[in-house]
Amino acid sequence: MSASAGRSLHGMSRLFQHCNQSRATLFQCRAIITSTSLLDSGASEIARVSNKNAALDCRRGLHSQHSFLKPLTPLRFPYRNTCSHNKTSFPQRNCSIITRKMSTVHLAKGSVCPPLQDGKLRLYNMKYCPFAQRALLIAEAKGLSYDIVNCNLKDKPEWMFERNPEGKVPILETNDGKVLYESLIISDYLDEIYAQRPLQSKDPYKKALDRILVERFSGVISIFYKILFSIRDGQLDATKEHIENFVKALKPFEEELTKRGSLYFAGEQPGMLDYMIWPWIERIPILKSKVPDLFDYDAAKKQNPHLENWRQGMKKDPTVAKFLISPEDHLQFVDSFLSGSPNYDL
Ligand SMILES: N[C@@H](CCC(=O)N[C@@H](CS)C(=O)NCC(=O)O)C(=O)O
């Protein structure tokens, strides 16, 4: 690093040591940062020398003040996965400690919403949210160009409410100012607007039958969360009953696959129904780990052979594989969530 860069860096560290987390701090910081390398090393230096809050704020600021940084270093938005999941062609050298760390950073209150990128859809997400995963799966399956902004749902950014008054993800935002929320509505909209790889049957009756199954699956979803909360509250009897109901609620899906005689509900490739129910099937191993004595997962697989084949097939689907999170990571997140301090940035 050059002597002048070192001096600037020193100044920046001092700035963070001596001032609070106000926006003014970030603006002053911006004025000091003058090169990409200084930016990278500067932020780690801040993290080292300044207190935790200032470092956090700097990370948020560096991230959220994206427009300012754009000409210097094209920072990635917080994608669901790590650097490898990157829809843009940013040079590898920018995959620094900071960008790697920030690849799943969930923006919180006080952050600035990153500007939309030309020609890209925007999906507001939370890495472990199964509803948001639905929208990601559809955007990805259809080969759309999109970016992802992860949101901290415990300390929500103000700009989330401007887009969804309920403050929930997923949210879709388009370049021409359209905003939608609710996972099923976003998914249908994307499928309808973009002609490539239609994910629903053209036959209105078949489409309606699939929609009935999506509706029925909301029963599975609600039992899934009942199980998690009863585990947290130590209610063994309730957990046992919910697990039985959970297994029962999956039965119509086994029957439907048997009737359809195809690997996926949509045929040879997954379609809308497949993607709408997948996120919770991906999370079933959480239940097995949490209550191994109450939930015999292996027996459930044997009782539902078509559903198990489907599950294996789904895991191999490139769209599903892109967003697949390991059972261990899910478990870690669920533990943090149940303890009241969800760790989104795992
Ligand atoms: N019905 C909504 C549910 C979305 C939802 O509950 N998302 C959760 C995260 S998995 C959320 O944003 N929670 C924030 C909150 O409830 O405050 C959908 O299908 O999109």
Side-chain angles (χ1 to χ4, degrees):
M1 193 191 303
S2 72
S4 66
R7 273 197 303 280
S8 300
L9 181 56
H10 180 65
M12 186 158 57
S13 308
R14 285 188 49 148
L15 200 63
F16 268 85
Q17 273 174 327
H18 293 294
C19 53
N20 61 27
Q21 301 168 40
S22 69
R23 293 280 301 281
T25 311
L26 292 172
F27 287 125
Q28 281 165 296
C29 232
R30 287 196 216 176
I32 293 169
I33 298 171
T34 52
S35 78
T36 303
S37 61
L38 177 57
L39 174 73
D40 286 358
S41 52
S44 7
E45 182 67 3
I46 287 164
R48 196 176 64 75
V49 298
S50 59
N51 69 41
K52 200 173 145 218
N53 285 341
L56 180 69
D57 200 37
C58 181
R59 271 175 57 200
R60 273 185 192 158
L62 288 175
H63 187 73
S64 58
Q65 304 295 331
H66 176 84
S67 52
F68 145 70
L69 291 166
K70 213 170 179 181
L72 301 173
T73 173
L75 279 184
R76 288 186 175 85
F77 286 124
Y79 286 96
R80 186 176 176 88
N81 290 336
T82 55
C83 284
S84 60
H85 173 58
N86 184 12
K87 301 283 290 179
T88 59
S89 54
F90 294 142
Q92 229 11 66
R93 103 193 136 80
N94 284 315
C95 196
S96 63
I97 285 178
I98 300 169
T99 48
R100 236 180 287 131
K101 263 191 166 173
M102 290 199 309
S103 60
T104 62
V105 159
H106 288 65
L107 299 180
K109 199 172 185 163
S111 62
V112 175
C113 185
L116 292 171
Q117 297 185 58
D118 280 349
K120 279 195 178 180
L121 296 166
R122 157 74 51 83
L123 284 166
Y124 296 90
N125 179 58
M126 187 278 275
K127 187 180 168 193
Y128 293 93
C129 173
F131 296 98
Q133 190 178 352
R134 279 175 162 172
L136 295 183
L137 289 170
I138 299 309
E140 184 65 29
K142 293 184 75 72
L144 306 181
S145 179
Y146 61 97
D147 74 9
I148 299 171
V149 169
N150 285 326
C151 304
N152 181 325
L153 300 179
K154 181 92 177 165
D155 186 23
K156 294 175 187 170
E158 295 82 351
W159 41 260
M160 253 188 96
F161 295 95
E162 290 162 17
R163 291 161 176 83
N164 178 357
E166 291 191 25
K168 292 185 179 182
V169 292
I171 305 169
L172 169 75
E173 187 170 6
T174 66
N175 261 187
D176 57 353
K178 295 191 181 85
V179 175
L180 283 176
Y181 46 93
E182 285 295 327
S183 58
L184 295 177
I185 289 169
I186 293 174
S187 302
D188 279 353
Y189 177 78
L190 292 177
D191 194 37
E192 219 170 290
I193 286 289
Y194 297 99
Q196 63 267 40
R197 190 177 165 190
L199 294 167
Q200 310 213 57
S201 175
K202 294 258 177 299
D203 176 341
Y205 181 60
K206 283 189 181 153
K207 187 173 159 185
L209 289 178
D210 276 6
R211 183 37 65 103
I212 289 176
L213 284 168
V214 171
E215 281 297 318
R216 290 189 77 178
F217 197 78
S218 52
V220 176
I221 297 173
S222 105
I223 303 170
F224 179 84
Y225 292 110
K226 276 186 188 161
I227 296 172
L228 285 187
F229 292 121
S230 64
I231 291 172
R232 180 193 59 186
D233 300 338
Q235 300 167 344
L236 260 197
D237 283 349
T239 310
K240 190 166 187 281
E241 189 192 325
H242 296 326
I243 296 238
E244 281 163 12
N245 290 338
F246 183 76
V247 174
K248 253 190 237 158
L250 284 173
K251 209 71 206 160
F253 296 87
E254 168 68 15
E255 287 163 6
E256 191 64 26
L257 275 176
T258 316
K259 203 160 96 191
R260 293 192 186 190
S262 52
L263 178 57
Y264 300 107
F265 287 96
E268 298 314 303
Q269 257 196 322
M272 185 62 81
L273 171 58
D274 298 277
Y275 288 128
M276 292 303 100
I277 70 175
W278 170 254
W280 290 271
I281 303 296
E282 180 181 313
R283 286 158 177 77
I284 291 182
I286 299 172
L287 306 183
K288 184 192 165 205
S289 306
K290 284 273 167 208
V291 277
D293 297 340
L294 296 184
F295 179 43
D296 190 344
Y297 189 31
D298 291 332
K301 284 181 195 168
K302 280 195 192 117
Q303 284 158 20
N304 299 289
H306 295 93
L307 208 46
E308 177 52 16
N309 265 351
W310 171 85
R311 194 180 71 89
Q312 296 297 347
M314 286 297 277
K315 273 166 66 177
K316 287 186 203 133
D317 173 62
T319 299
V320 167
K322 190 138 206 162
F323 301 112
L324 200 64
I325 293 179
S326 72
E328 295 73 27
D329 284 356
H330 273 306
L331 200 58
Q332 229 183 317
F333 173 73
V334 162
D335 282 338
S336 72
F337 175 77
L338 293 178
S339 76
S341 305
N343 185 355
Y344 304 114
D345 297 324
L346 284 169

PDB file of all heavy atoms in Angstrom, residues 324-345:
ATOM      1  N   LEU A 324     -29.810 -25.091  -2.830  1.00  0.00           N
ATOM      2  CA  LEU A 324     -29.883 -26.127  -1.798  1.00  0.00           C
ATOM      3  C   LEU A 324     -29.006 -25.755  -0.596  1.00  0.00           C
ATOM      4  O   LEU A 324     -27.850 -25.385  -0.759  1.00  0.00           O
ATOM      5  CB  LEU A 324     -29.397 -27.441  -2.410  1.00  0.00           C
ATOM      6  CG  LEU A 324     -29.798 -28.737  -1.723  1.00  0.00           C
ATOM      7  CD1 LEU A 324     -31.314 -28.932  -1.770  1.00  0.00           C
ATOM      8  CD2 LEU A 324     -29.117 -29.919  -2.419  1.00  0.00           C
ATOM      9  N   ILE A 325     -29.581 -25.857   0.575  1.00  0.00           N
ATOM     10  CA  ILE A 325     -28.827 -25.599   1.810  1.00  0.00           C
ATOM     11  C   ILE A 325     -28.718 -26.922   2.557  1.00  0.00           C
ATOM     12  O   ILE A 325     -29.684 -27.695   2.612  1.00  0.00           O
ATOM     13  CB  ILE A 325     -29.552 -24.527   2.665  1.00  0.00           C
ATOM     14  CG1 ILE A 325     -29.516 -23.180   1.920  1.00  0.00           C
ATOM     15  CG2 ILE A 325     -28.934 -24.397   4.049  1.00  0.00           C
ATOM     16  CD1 ILE A 325     -30.209 -22.042   2.638  1.00  0.00           C
ATOM     17  N   SER A 326     -27.556 -27.192   3.112  1.00  0.00           N
ATOM     18  CA  SER A 326     -27.353 -28.498   3.752  1.00  0.00           C
ATOM     19  C   SER A 326     -28.207 -28.616   5.015  1.00  0.00           C
ATOM     20  O   SER A 326     -28.510 -27.604   5.672  1.00  0.00           O
ATOM     21  CB  SER A 326     -25.877 -28.677   4.118  1.00  0.00           C
ATOM     22  OG  SER A 326     -25.567 -27.828   5.206  1.00  0.00           O
ATOM     23  N   PRO A 327     -28.579 -29.855   5.386  1.00  0.00           N
ATOM     24  CA  PRO A 327     -29.359 -30.046   6.620  1.00  0.00           C
ATOM     25  C   PRO A 327     -28.648 -29.441   7.830  1.00  0.00           C
ATOM     26  O   PRO A 327     -29.295 -28.872   8.718  1.00  0.00           O
ATOM     27  CB  PRO A 327     -29.453 -31.563   6.755  1.00  0.00           C
ATOM     28  CG  PRO A 327     -29.296 -32.093   5.365  1.00  0.00           C
ATOM     29  CD  PRO A 327     -28.392 -31.123   4.655  1.00  0.00           C
ATOM     30  N   GLU A 328     -27.316 -29.513   7.839  1.00  0.00           N
ATOM     31  CA  GLU A 328     -26.554 -28.966   8.972  1.00  0.00           C
ATOM     32  C   GLU A 328     -26.756 -27.459   9.081  1.00  0.00           C
ATOM     33  O   GLU A 328     -26.962 -26.912  10.166  1.00  0.00           O
ATOM     34  CB  GLU A 328     -25.054 -29.260   8.828  1.00  0.00           C
ATOM     35  CG  GLU A 328     -24.669 -30.736   8.873  1.00  0.00           C
ATOM     36  CD  GLU A 328     -25.056 -31.496   7.606  1.00  0.00           C
ATOM     37  OE1 GLU A 328     -25.133 -30.867   6.527  1.00  0.00           O
ATOM     38  OE2 GLU A 328     -25.306 -32.718   7.694  1.00  0.00           O
ATOM     39  N   ASP A 329     -26.675 -26.780   7.924  1.00  0.00           N
ATOM     40  CA  ASP A 329     -26.859 -25.321   7.943  1.00  0.00           C
ATOM     41  C   ASP A 329     -28.290 -24.940   8.318  1.00  0.00           C
ATOM     42  O   ASP A 329     -28.523 -23.988   9.062  1.00  0.00           O
ATOM     43  CB  ASP A 329     -26.490 -24.703   6.585  1.00  0.00           C
ATOM     44  CG  ASP A 329     -24.982 -24.634   6.403  1.00  0.00           C
ATOM     45  OD1 ASP A 329     -24.253 -24.991   7.358  1.00  0.00           O
ATOM     46  OD2 ASP A 329     -24.531 -24.235   5.310  1.00  0.00           O
ATOM     47  N   HIS A 330     -29.240 -25.720   7.784  1.00  0.00           N
ATOM     48  CA  HIS A 330     -30.636 -25.450   8.159  1.00  0.00           C
ATOM     49  C   HIS A 330     -30.804 -25.569   9.665  1.00  0.00           C
ATOM     50  O   HIS A 330     -31.433 -24.735  10.308  1.00  0.00           O
ATOM     51  CB  HIS A 330     -31.577 -26.454   7.478  1.00  0.00           C
ATOM     52  CG  HIS A 330     -32.007 -26.029   6.103  1.00  0.00           C
ATOM     53  ND1 HIS A 330     -32.589 -24.808   5.842  1.00  0.00           N
ATOM     54  CD2 HIS A 330     -31.961 -26.673   4.905  1.00  0.00           C
ATOM     55  CE1 HIS A 330     -32.878 -24.720   4.550  1.00  0.00           C
ATOM     56  NE2 HIS A 330     -32.502 -25.826   3.963  1.00  0.00           N
ATOM     57  N   LEU A 331     -30.216 -26.629  10.187  1.00  0.00           N
ATOM     58  CA  LEU A 331     -30.360 -26.903  11.613  1.00  0.00           C
ATOM     59  C   LEU A 331     -29.763 -25.773  12.446  1.00  0.00           C
ATOM     60  O   LEU A 331     -30.350 -25.312  13.431  1.00  0.00           O
ATOM     61  CB  LEU A 331     -29.654 -28.227  11.923  1.00  0.00           C
ATOM     62  CG  LEU A 331     -30.062 -28.916  13.210  1.00  0.00           C
ATOM     63  CD1 LEU A 331     -31.553 -29.206  13.211  1.00  0.00           C
ATOM     64  CD2 LEU A 331     -29.294 -30.232  13.363  1.00  0.00           C
ATOM     65  N   GLN A 332     -28.596 -25.321  12.009  1.00  0.00           N
ATOM     66  CA  GLN A 332     -27.930 -24.228  12.734  1.00  0.00           C
ATOM     67  C   GLN A 332     -28.807 -22.972  12.719  1.00  0.00           C
ATOM     68  O   GLN A 332     -28.952 -22.295  13.730  1.00  0.00           O
ATOM     69  CB  GLN A 332     -26.609 -23.913  12.043  1.00  0.00           C
ATOM     70  CG  GLN A 332     -25.440 -23.848  13.022  1.00  0.00           C
ATOM     71  CD  GLN A 332     -24.169 -23.462  12.288  1.00  0.00           C
ATOM     72  OE1 GLN A 332     -23.900 -23.970  11.199  1.00  0.00           O
ATOM     73  NE2 GLN A 332     -23.387 -22.585  12.874  1.00  0.00           N
ATOM     74  N   PHE A 333     -29.388 -22.707  11.549  1.00  0.00           N
ATOM     75  CA  PHE A 333     -30.238 -21.519  11.469  1.00  0.00           C
ATOM     76  C   PHE A 333     -31.466 -21.690  12.364  1.00  0.00           C
ATOM     77  O   PHE A 333     -31.835 -20.785  13.119  1.00  0.00           O
ATOM     78  CB  PHE A 333     -30.667 -21.213  10.029  1.00  0.00           C
ATOM     79  CG  PHE A 333     -31.674 -20.106   9.994  1.00  0.00           C
ATOM     80  CD1 PHE A 333     -31.264 -18.798  10.239  1.00  0.00           C
ATOM     81  CD2 PHE A 333     -33.024 -20.351   9.807  1.00  0.00           C
ATOM     82  CE1 PHE A 333     -32.192 -17.753  10.283  1.00  0.00           C
ATOM     83  CE2 PHE A 333     -33.959 -19.312   9.852  1.00  0.00           C
ATOM     84  CZ  PHE A 333     -33.535 -18.023  10.085  1.00  0.00           C
ATOM     85  N   VAL A 334     -32.102 -22.860  12.271  1.00  0.00           N
ATOM     86  CA  VAL A 334     -33.317 -23.096  13.060  1.00  0.00           C
ATOM     87  C   VAL A 334     -33.018 -22.958  14.549  1.00  0.00           C
ATOM     88  O   VAL A 334     -33.788 -22.357  15.301  1.00  0.00           O
ATOM     89  CB  VAL A 334     -33.919 -24.487  12.727  1.00  0.00           C
ATOM     90  CG1 VAL A 334     -34.886 -24.960  13.795  1.00  0.00           C
ATOM     91  CG2 VAL A 334     -34.637 -24.433  11.389  1.00  0.00           C
ATOM     92  N   ASP A 335     -31.876 -23.470  14.976  1.00  0.00           N
ATOM     93  CA  ASP A 335     -31.509 -23.348  16.385  1.00  0.00           C
ATOM     94  C   ASP A 335     -31.392 -21.880  16.786  1.00  0.00           C
ATOM     95  O   ASP A 335     -31.872 -21.471  17.845  1.00  0.00           O
ATOM     96  CB  ASP A 335     -30.190 -24.081  16.668  1.00  0.00           C
ATOM     97  CG  ASP A 335     -30.424 -25.594  16.778  1.00  0.00           C
ATOM     98  OD1 ASP A 335     -31.575 -25.991  17.054  1.00  0.00           O
ATOM     99  OD2 ASP A 335     -29.468 -26.369  16.574  1.00  0.00           O
ATOM    100  N   SER A 336     -30.749 -21.102  15.908  1.00  0.00           N
ATOM    101  CA  SER A 336     -30.589 -19.680  16.236  1.00  0.00           C
ATOM    102  C   SER A 336     -31.956 -18.987  16.222  1.00  0.00           C
ATOM    103  O   SER A 336     -32.256 -18.150  17.060  1.00  0.00           O
ATOM    104  CB  SER A 336     -29.611 -18.998  15.265  1.00  0.00           C
ATOM    105  OG  SER A 336     -30.192 -18.841  13.981  1.00  0.00           O
ATOM    106  N   PHE A 337     -32.808 -19.391  15.296  1.00  0.00           N
ATOM    107  CA  PHE A 337     -34.155 -18.813  15.179  1.00  0.00           C
ATOM    108  C   PHE A 337     -34.986 -19.141  16.426  1.00  0.00           C
ATOM    109  O   PHE A 337     -35.619 -18.274  17.024  1.00  0.00           O
ATOM    110  CB  PHE A 337     -34.811 -19.368  13.915  1.00  0.00           C
ATOM    111  CG  PHE A 337     -36.240 -18.967  13.716  1.00  0.00           C
ATOM    112  CD1 PHE A 337     -36.548 -17.699  13.251  1.00  0.00           C
ATOM    113  CD2 PHE A 337     -37.278 -19.852  13.996  1.00  0.00           C
ATOM    114  CE1 PHE A 337     -37.866 -17.315  13.061  1.00  0.00           C
ATOM    115  CE2 PHE A 337     -38.594 -19.477  13.811  1.00  0.00           C
ATOM    116  CZ  PHE A 337     -38.890 -18.209  13.338  1.00  0.00           C
ATOM    117  N   LEU A 338     -34.938 -20.414  16.839  1.00  0.00           N
ATOM    118  CA  LEU A 338     -35.741 -20.827  17.993  1.00  0.00           C
ATOM    119  C   LEU A 338     -35.244 -20.200  19.290  1.00  0.00           C
ATOM    120  O   LEU A 338     -35.997 -20.016  20.234  1.00  0.00           O
ATOM    121  CB  LEU A 338     -35.758 -22.365  18.118  1.00  0.00           C
ATOM    122  CG  LEU A 338     -36.489 -23.115  16.993  1.00  0.00           C
ATOM    123  CD1 LEU A 338     -36.409 -24.624  17.190  1.00  0.00           C
ATOM    124  CD2 LEU A 338     -37.957 -22.678  16.883  1.00  0.00           C
ATOM    125  N   SER A 339     -33.949 -19.861  19.292  1.00  0.00           N
ATOM    126  CA  SER A 339     -33.410 -19.245  20.515  1.00  0.00           C
ATOM    127  C   SER A 339     -33.740 -17.752  20.559  1.00  0.00           C
ATOM    128  O   SER A 339     -33.431 -17.069  21.524  1.00  0.00           O
ATOM    129  CB  SER A 339     -31.889 -19.440  20.577  1.00  0.00           C
ATOM    130  OG  SER A 339     -31.286 -18.539  19.664  1.00  0.00           O
ATOM    131  N   GLY A 340     -34.368 -17.251  19.501  1.00  0.00           N
ATOM    132  CA  GLY A 340     -34.780 -15.842  19.496  1.00  0.00           C
ATOM    133  C   GLY A 340     -33.773 -14.906  18.852  1.00  0.00           C
ATOM    134  O   GLY A 340     -34.001 -13.707  18.758  1.00  0.00           O
ATOM    135  N   SER A 341     -32.619 -15.434  18.438  1.00  0.00           N
ATOM    136  CA  SER A 341     -31.614 -14.593  17.771  1.00  0.00           C
ATOM    137  C   SER A 341     -31.229 -15.216  16.437  1.00  0.00           C
ATOM    138  O   SER A 341     -30.162 -15.818  16.319  1.00  0.00           O
ATOM    139  CB  SER A 341     -30.353 -14.466  18.628  1.00  0.00           C
ATOM    140  OG  SER A 341     -30.667 -13.998  19.877  1.00  0.00           O
ATOM    141  N   PRO A 342     -32.114 -15.104  15.464  1.00  0.00           N
ATOM    142  CA  PRO A 342     -31.812 -15.743  14.172  1.00  0.00           C
ATOM    143  C   PRO A 342     -30.509 -15.244  13.566  1.00  0.00           C
ATOM    144  O   PRO A 342     -30.281 -14.037  13.522  1.00  0.00           O
ATOM    145  CB  PRO A 342     -33.007 -15.360  13.292  1.00  0.00           C
ATOM    146  CG  PRO A 342     -33.727 -14.279  13.995  1.00  0.00           C
ATOM    147  CD  PRO A 342     -33.378 -14.356  15.442  1.00  0.00           C
ATOM    148  N   ASN A 343     -29.684 -16.189  13.174  1.00  0.00           N
ATOM    149  CA  ASN A 343     -28.417 -15.820  12.542  1.00  0.00           C
ATOM    150  C   ASN A 343     -28.563 -15.999  11.031  1.00  0.00           C
ATOM    151  O   ASN A 343     -28.411 -17.082  10.504  1.00  0.00           O
ATOM    152  CB  ASN A 343     -27.290 -16.703  13.101  1.00  0.00           C
ATOM    153  CG  ASN A 343     -25.947 -16.274  12.573  1.00  0.00           C
ATOM    154  OD1 ASN A 343     -25.869 -15.374  11.727  1.00  0.00           O
ATOM    155  ND2 ASN A 343     -24.881 -16.891  13.059  1.00  0.00           N
ATOM    156  N   TYR A 344     -28.863 -14.895  10.362  1.00  0.00           N
ATOM    157  CA  TYR A 344     -29.112 -14.962   8.916  1.00  0.00           C
ATOM    158  C   TYR A 344     -27.827 -15.119   8.116  1.00  0.00           C
ATOM    159  O   TYR A 344     -27.850 -15.534   6.980  1.00  0.00           O
ATOM    160  CB  TYR A 344     -29.814 -13.684   8.442  1.00  0.00           C
ATOM    161  CG  TYR A 344     -31.087 -13.396   9.174  1.00  0.00           C
ATOM    162  CD1 TYR A 344     -31.207 -12.278   9.995  1.00  0.00           C
ATOM    163  CD2 TYR A 344     -32.188 -14.241   9.054  1.00  0.00           C
ATOM    164  CE1 TYR A 344     -32.387 -12.008  10.672  1.00  0.00           C
ATOM    165  CE2 TYR A 344     -33.365 -13.981   9.731  1.00  0.00           C
ATOM    166  CZ  TYR A 344     -33.460 -12.861  10.537  1.00  0.00           C
ATOM    167  OH  TYR A 344     -34.620 -12.616  11.204  1.00  0.00           O
ATOM    168  N   ASP A 345     -26.737 -14.715   8.708  1.00  0.00           N
ATOM    169  CA  ASP A 345     -25.493 -14.633   7.938  1.00  0.00           C
ATOM    170  C   ASP A 345     -24.602 -15.855   8.082  1.00  0.00           C
ATOM    171  O   ASP A 345     -23.394 -15.777   7.881  1.00  0.00           O
ATOM    172  CB  ASP A 345     -24.731 -13.355   8.327  1.00  0.00           C
ATOM    173  CG  ASP A 345     -25.545 -12.113   7.976  1.00  0.00           C
ATOM    174  OD1 ASP A 345     -26.228 -12.149   6.932  1.00  0.00           O
ATOM    175  OD2 ASP A 345     -25.520 -11.141   8.742  1.00  0.00           O
TER     176      ASP A 345
END
